Each structure stands twice: as C-alpha cells, then as structure tokens.
Amino acid sequence: MEADTSILDAAVVGAGWAGLGVSHALSQAGLRHCVLERGRIGETWRTQRWDSFRMNTPNRVTVMPGDHYEGADPEGFLTRDGFVALLEQFAARNRLPIRTGSPVTELVQDEESGGYRLATPDGTLRARNVIIASGSLNRPRRPAVADALPPGLIQVDASDYRNPAALPVGAVLVVGSGQSGGQIAEDLVLAGRRVYLATSRIRRFPRRYRGQDIVQWLLQAGWMDVPRRDFVEPSGRIPPRPLLGAVHTISLQSLSAQGVVLLGRFTGVADSVRLTFANDLPDNMTFADEASDKLKRKIDDFIAQNGLQAPAAEPDPAEIVAPRLPNPLIRSLAPTGQGITTVIWCTGFEGDYHWVRLPGVLDARGQPVHEESVANLPGIYFAGLDFAVTRRSGTIMAIAEEARRVVQHITARRP
Ligand SMILES: Cc1cc2nc3c(=O)[nH]c(=O)nc-3n(C[C@H](O)[C@H](O)[C@H](O)COP(=O)(O)OP(=O)(O)OC[C@H]3O[C@@H](n4cnc5c(N)ncnc54)[C@H](O)[C@@H]3O)c2cc1C
C-alpha cells in the first residue's frame, strides 16, 4: 500500500469499546477519521478473557453510545463472545471506518503539518488529532518476585488463562483476590481443581442488594460519578476495583467453602523453594466484609433519604457461608509438596504504550499523563482510561459521555 499522505481530522488507535465509541462520535460530528486496530474488533476481549468469562456490568448498562438494551434479560451478563458480537454489530451498523490488522508501531509529531504521524506496517497516516484508545488494562503486571519462583512452576497471567483443562495437571496457586483472581479461583475449584488463593486487601461488593443489581444502585446513588480527586490517595494510588463476582457474589468465605485454600498475601520465596505468605488473611477477610457492609449501609441511607420502595435486605449466601480456613493458617508452602504446578498472576494490568513517541505524554512508568483524558500535547487524547474522570471511567458505562467530550474538544480547536 502507498503511504497515505492526506491528513485526517483524527486517527483513533484501538477498536475496543473506547475506540468504537469515539469513532461513532467523530462520525456524528462529520470528522474524517480512521480507526487503526492491530488485531480484530474487540481484540482484548477475544484474547485476554477466559472461556467462562462474563461481563460484570449487567446487560441494561452494557451498551454502546446511542444504544439501549432491548433484550429480554436486562439483569443478565453477557458472555465474552456475546460482548465481542455487540462490538462488531455496533461497528457494522454505524459503518465505522476501521482498519483491522493494522498495528500502530510509532506515533510521532509531524513537524510539517503540526499534526501527527502514525506508522503501521502498511504505511503512514497523518492526522490532526489522535485518540489513543489502545487499552489501559491489557498488559498484565506481575510483581518482581515472580522472577524468584522455583523453576518448573508454570507461570500464567490472568489474561492468558482460558479454562481449567488448559492448565497442566496439579494444584494451582492464584495470586491476587480482586475480580480476576476471585473469578478464576472459582472457575478452577468448580472444575474440581485443587486451588490455593493468595489473598489481597481488597474490598468486596455483593452482586445484588435490596432487589436490584449492585451496579444499578451504584449508578443511582451517584457513587459511579464521584470525581477522581475524591478517591485518589495522597500518594496518587487509586484503590483497586472491589471483588465483584459476575452473575453472583464471590467472597473469600464462599471460595473457601467451595474448597479453595485461602492464604495471606504472597510475600516471596524462601530458601529458593518455599513460597511465603503474610499473616494478613483474617484482616483481608474482615476488610472485605466491612466494605460490603459499609456499601449496604450507604444504599440503605440512600433508599431512606429518597423515600424509595425497595424490598428488605436478604442475606446473601456467599456472604454468610462459613469459611473452611486452614488451621493453623499457612505461612509457607513448598509447591512440590502440595502438588502445585501452576501459578496464575491476577495482580493487575496496565496499558502498553511503547509505540507512543511523544514528549510529555507518558510518565516514567510509560502510562498516560492527562487531565480528564486530554494529554498535554494539542490534539492528543486518551479514551477508555480507568478512573480518568470518575469511578465510571474505564467501564463501558462511561464511553458515551467521554466520546462526546473528546470530540467537543477536537471541534473547538479546529482551525
Ligand atoms: C478482566 C477484566 C474484566 C473487565 N470486565 C468489565 C466489565 O464487565 N464491564 C466493563 O464495563 N468493564 C470491564 N473491564 C474494564 C474495561 O472494560 C476494559 O479495561 C476495557 O477493555 C477498556 O476498553 P478499551 O477500548 O479502552 O480497551 P481494549 O478493550 O483493551 O481495546 C483496545 C484495543 O486497542 C488495540 N490496540 C492496542 N495497541 C494497539 C496499537 N499499537 N495499534 C492498534 N491497535 C492497538 C487492541 O488490540 C484492542 O482491540 C474489565 C477489565 C478487565 C481487565
């Protein structure tokens, strides 16, 4: 293909929900643009989610800009493949200009035009504005201690886990008890695998409360719209999203009752062969229980203050079940002794922006520097970033508003 020398109004990098949502808003504003996608539409969802994966946002709110859920199961949860189909249909229905199989290998300033150049294996594109929607949660993060694990243990990231049968025979150690860790541990134990779970200090939300899905309450009570400045810690850290089971509540006690062996936080390797764990399992369990109780009290207050009709609270089986904790608690174990063959790291994700070669746009860790998705170079934007503006940011429930805002910004700076 010849290099494309015409200058587009905008180029969007990535065809996940963020890139597609922005493309839709650009089309509506009549801006000439192109979406460059390294793989297929929804590539992250196709290749980085396990087979039994379900969205944890209910169908009612798992919708793209301008769409409304019209199916028969508003409180249900889409499967991985169902969600990819939703994205594909949205792109086709809106005739979005997407080039799949087109990875951006370099994004640089274009001195000549004052815009930007995007290199792909098929040629170079120029655009006045670039929206980076390449995903802020699609490169797994492993703790440094992973390098010290005894050789012979298979190490897998949550994004590479597919199903229990795809792992080697033997017990599995899942590290991290957030959304991915909790759901993967349950997937494994339900398949009859022996599972150890190194827990973390992370909140838990129940799936439903007082007659409706928890996400519905979070939206209704304005919790999802709390601005970033109100929950970012002084260190700049943002507490991770709580453990929330897709479809039903998952708690440390429900996993334990199902047979998962709970451990404290994974701290390292002793004598080259023994894996060690902190003494914090009871604290981690209490912390999660308290977070769930606190949220429920907030919802109760919201219901009372607004005079809403809602059924009385009912106990959630996953929250009241008695755990079967190891006694004494396990502080160290030798993988070979316990038959552990695989470690699955569920220790978080970040974005892969190695191809962005622009001054001041990434921080020392290679992650976005931005103010409400606007980078500090004119015409450079991010979309889909977790917690960019509010708690809703980074979920599909944010994209309609985010896309509108980014496109308004672009239109306002048009010559
Ligand atoms: C395990 C997990 C479960 C989640 N569940 C939910 C949920 O149920 N509901 C919800 O609302 N949110 C959920 N999220 C959060 C959020 O939806 C994801 O982070 C989401 O993928 C963000 O959308 P995105 O379009 O920004 O990124 P992505 O979906 O990652 O899309 C980015 C796209 O950019 C492409 N790309 C990357 N680099 C390049 C390049 N150099 N050139 C061209 N293309 C490129 C990728 O191939 C990909 O298709 C979940 C996140 C995780 C990790």
Side-chain angles (χ1 to χ4, degrees):
M1 195 180 91
E2 282 289 302
D4 186 352
T5 50
S6 62
I7 302 182
L8 294 167
D9 290 324
V12 181
V13 184
W17 56 247
L20 298 180
V22 170
S23 173
H24 177 255
L26 289 166
S27 298
Q28 288 201 319
L31 294 175
R32 216 161 55 83
H33 72 283
C34 170
V35 182
L36 298 168
E37 164 56 52
R38 66 178 167 189
R40 298 156 290 176
I41 291 171
E43 187 65 27
T44 303
W45 300 87
R46 295 173 193 263
T47 53
Q48 297 197 358
R49 302 285 184 266
W50 50 98
D51 293 350
S52 68
F53 176 87
R54 293 287 189 131
M55 297 296 286
N56 62 19
T57 34
N59 292 339
R60 188 197 301 278
V61 293
T62 306
V63 290
M64 291 296 286
D67 289 354
H68 298 280
Y69 181 74
E70 283 166 1
D73 191 14
E75 305 252 296
F77 301 87
L78 276 179
T79 60
R80 173 191 65 186
D81 298 348
F83 185 61
V84 171
L86 179 147
L87 295 181
E88 282 188 318
Q89 285 158 14
F90 179 80
R93 185 161 27 90
N94 292 291
R95 298 201 169 86
L96 301 180
I98 303 167
R99 286 192 203 169
T100 52
S102 201
V104 175
T105 50
E106 192 175 63
L107 168 61
V108 292
Q109 284 173 301
D110 182 40
E111 302 297 342
E112 198 186 315
S113 67
Y116 299 94
R117 273 190 290 126
L118 300 99
T120 77
D122 295 328
T124 299
L125 266 166
R126 292 197 295 165
R128 292 189 183 86
N129 301 280
V130 177
I131 301 92
I132 302 173
S134 55
S136 64
L137 296 178
N138 55 15
R139 183 164 69 185
R141 264 196 324 240
R142 285 184 188 183
V145 68
D147 294 339
L149 250 53
L153 270 180
I154 308 287
Q155 298 190 46
V156 178
D157 294 301
S159 49
D160 286 328
Y161 170 71
R162 287 293 157 272
N163 57 57
L167 298 182
V169 172
V172 182
L173 169 64
V174 176
V175 182
S177 60
Q179 297 193 3
S180 302
Q183 294 179 22
I184 289 174
E186 189 180 71
D187 197 44
L188 287 163
V189 80
L190 289 178
R193 298 296 289 256
R194 176 122 177 111
V195 184
Y196 293 82
L197 176 64
T199 59
S200 20
R201 183 178 164 82
I202 191 159
R203 293 163 302 148
R204 176 187 77 245
F205 284 177
R207 185 67 260 179
R208 292 181 69 81
Y209 186 60
R210 296 197 62 180
Q212 66 176 7
D213 190 86
I214 203 71
V215 171
Q216 207 60 37
W217 282 125
L218 296 176
L219 288 167
Q220 231 172 305
W223 191 89
M224 292 303 264
D225 297 316
V226 172
R228 178 189 169 97
R229 64 174 173 274
D230 289 0
F231 55 83
V232 64
E233 294 175 353
S235 64
R237 176 184 176 269
I238 290 182
R241 294 200 189 268
L243 170 56
L244 174 62
V247 184
H248 57 257
T249 305
I250 295 179
S251 67
L252 295 181
Q253 48 271 46
S254 72
L255 292 170
S256 168
Q258 285 167 311
V260 172
V261 181
L262 298 184
L263 310 162
R265 183 170 45 86
F266 179 47
T267 48
V269 180
D271 308 329
S272 309
V273 288
R274 295 189 74 76
L275 310 183
T276 58
F277 303 91
N279 197 20
D280 56 3
L281 174 60
D283 284 350
N284 293 344
M285 296 185 77
T286 306
F287 184 74
D289 288 345
E290 286 177 352
S292 179
D293 285 345
K294 201 166 142 197
L295 179 67
K296 289 175 187 168
R297 295 300 77 78
K298 276 192 184 157
I299 295 172
D300 291 340
D301 291 347
F302 175 74
I303 291 170
Q305 281 157 13
N306 291 279
L308 303 179
Q309 294 296 320
E314 284 187 10
D316 183 328
E319 296 198 305
I320 57 168
V321 68
R324 291 190 283 144
L325 299 182
N327 187 10
L329 296 178
I330 299 171
R331 298 291 310 281
S332 92
L333 51 82
T336 42
Q338 306 304 322
I340 297 175
T341 54
T342 309
V343 176
I344 306 183
W345 296 106
C346 300
T347 38
F349 293 92
E350 61 190 8
D352 180 0
Y353 302 102
H354 72 274
W355 46 276
V356 177
R357 312 264 159 75
L358 298 172
V361 165
L362 302 177
D363 65 16
R365 290 171 38 246
Q367 299 304 299
V369 175
H370 67 99
E371 189 62 44
E372 304 206 331
S373 322
V374 181
N376 51 18
L377 273 185
I380 297 290
Y381 304 87
F382 291 93
L385 295 185
D386 219 22
F387 299 121
V389 182
T390 64
R391 286 202 180 106
R392 191 191 285 251
S393 308
T395 76
I396 192 168
M397 299 176 286
I399 190 55
E401 210 288 305
E402 181 175 46
R404 205 171 24 244
R405 194 165 39 78
V406 165
V407 172
Q408 263 171 12
H409 204 283
I410 289 175
T411 323
R413 67 177 289 275
R414 249 183 143 182

